[in-house]
Every structure is written in C-alpha cells, then in structure tokens.
Amino acid sequence: MVSTNDLKNGMVLDLDGQLWQVLWFQHHKPGKGNTVVRSKLKHVLTGKIIDKTFNSDTKVDTAKVDRSEMQYLYIDGDDYVFMDNTTFEQVHVSAETVGDAKDYLLENQNAFVATHEGNPLFIELPASVELVVDYTEPGLQGDRSTGGTKPATLETGKQIQVPLFITTGEKIKVDTRDGSYLGRVSS
C-alpha cells in the first residue's frame, strides 16, 4: 500500500485486480475542497490509457514488479526470447507484450523485462538506441543540412523521418519513446 501523495512515474498500481502503470501525476488544490491527485494511467496488459483522479492521501495497492536486465536473443515463432544476464535463464515474451519495442530491438541487445508473479508485463528500452539506416533515398542537389526530412528504413524494419543529408549505411541515434531522429553516431 502506498499513499497517492507518494506516486511516482513508472510505478505499477493494482486497482481492482488490474495492473496500471503511472505515466503522469499532478497534485491539484482547487479553490474549494480537498487536494486531489490527477493521474494518467496505462493498463499494463492492454495498453489502454485513462485519466484517474484520487483524493489526496488515499491508500492504493502497488503491484510487486521485478525489473531484470535481460539480453534479447532471437524470435521463436510469435515469442521473443530473452536471457537473464545473471541466471542465464531464458524467458519467452509474447509479441503483444513486446509491443512497439520490437522496432528498436537488435539481437544481443540488453533491455529491462518487467515481470509480475513470473509473467512478463512489458519491455523497457533505453531512451535512445543506435541503429543503421538500411535504405533511404539519396539527397537531391541543393539539399541543406537543416530543413527538410525524408523517410528512412532502419535495420529493424522501422521507418522514421531523417534529415536530407543522411545516407544508406549510416549509424544514427533514435529516440525509443517517439521514434524521432536524434543525430548521427560517429564511428
């Protein structure tokens, strides 16, 4: 149990037997009445996002979520196979649980796998990853280093927008939260 005054981003709550991850929260003191805590919660299994308001200092259940650093190995049918870096135990994680993280996962890359009672809940990637551009159209004469963008396909198959000066085969840094281009990676 934790007080709503002690909520933190990333915390997983157990509300009516369902697991919700706190994406955002704010303490709000209206002109009249008691202080409330506004929050944005994401259902861990379905990905549904809701807004929920709690009275200040209300007790809510927290779920015990274990985060283990694991190495992504390979795809086995519809499952992604990860290996725990300390016990070397292999864990199969469904494609639904991996979700959009698949667009940034390379073999032998480390990621955090969050589990609750032994069941994988979600994958946490670093804020940015370095990926190679598999294909992008060549830049046109007169392109500038600032300004326009063009589509590029990364080595994972994900398509993002990159500046016009990026070429096929270059290694770039990509934000895993929104898929945006962050910059070139110097060799």
Side-chain angles (χ1 to χ4, degrees), residues 160-181:
I160 66 167
Q161 293 293 316
V162 297
L164 297 170
F165 58 83
I166 297 296
T167 60
T168 299
E170 277 192 80
K171 188 177 254 191
I172 61 172
K173 188 178 271 194
V174 180
D175 189 321
T176 59
R177 295 165 293 195
D178 61 6
S180 62
Y181 166 84

Side-chain angles (χ1 to χ4, degrees), residues 76-112:
D76 181 20
D78 289 337
D79 291 344
Y80 288 72
V81 180
F82 289 83
M83 179 183 68
D84 191 309
N85 289 340
T86 54
T87 64
F88 304 109
E89 178 183 334
Q90 291 188 5
V91 177
H92 289 256
V93 180
S94 70
E96 295 82 32
T97 302
V98 172
D100 291 338
K102 74 180 180 334
D103 294 332
Y104 308 104
L105 272 178
L106 292 175
E107 288 182 3
N108 302 320
Q109 178 182 355
N110 285 342
F112 284 93

Side-chain angles (χ1 to χ4, degrees), residues 36-185:
V36 295
V37 178
R38 293 180 178 162
S39 65
K40 190 172 292 253
L41 305 174
K42 177 180 178 184
H43 194 276
V44 171
L45 300 177
T46 65
K48 179 180 177 183
I49 296 176
I50 63 167
D51 293 321
K52 184 148 178 81
T53 303
F54 299 97
N55 288 329
S56 180
D57 214 21
T58 301
K59 300 288 185 195
V60 292
D61 287 328
T62 57
K64 180 162 178 15
V65 175
D66 298 317
R67 288 177 170 87
S68 304
E69 186 171 14
M70 296 190 182
Q71 183 180 31
Y72 167 60
L73 298 177
Y74 57 90
I75 295 177
D76 181 20
D78 289 337
D79 291 344
Y80 288 72
V81 180
F82 289 83
M83 179 183 68
D84 191 309
N85 289 340
T86 54
T87 64
F88 304 109
E89 178 183 334
Q90 291 188 5
V91 177
H92 289 256
V93 180
S94 70
E96 295 82 32
T97 302
V98 172
D100 291 338
K102 74 180 180 334
D103 294 332
Y104 308 104
L105 272 178
L106 292 175
E107 288 182 3
N108 302 320
Q109 178 182 355
N110 285 342
F112 284 93
V113 178
T115 58
H116 174 66
E117 296 176 353
N119 298 320
L121 298 177
F122 55 88
I123 306 296
E124 288 180 355
L125 294 173
S128 65
V129 292
E130 296 176 359
L131 298 170
V132 174
V133 176
D134 249 6
Y135 177 77
T136 187
E137 293 291 331
L140 302 172
Q141 182 67 25
D143 286 347
R144 303 285 185 257
S145 61
T146 60
T149 61
K150 61 182 178 180
T153 304
L154 304 174
E155 60 187 310
T156 59
K158 172 81 172 161
Q159 202 169 49
I160 66 167
Q161 293 293 316
V162 297
L164 297 170
F165 58 83
I166 297 296
T167 60
T168 299
E170 277 192 80
K171 188 177 254 191
I172 61 172
K173 188 178 271 194
V174 180
D175 189 321
T176 59
R177 295 165 293 195
D178 61 6
S180 62
Y181 166 84
L182 295 175
R184 282 179 168 158
V185 176

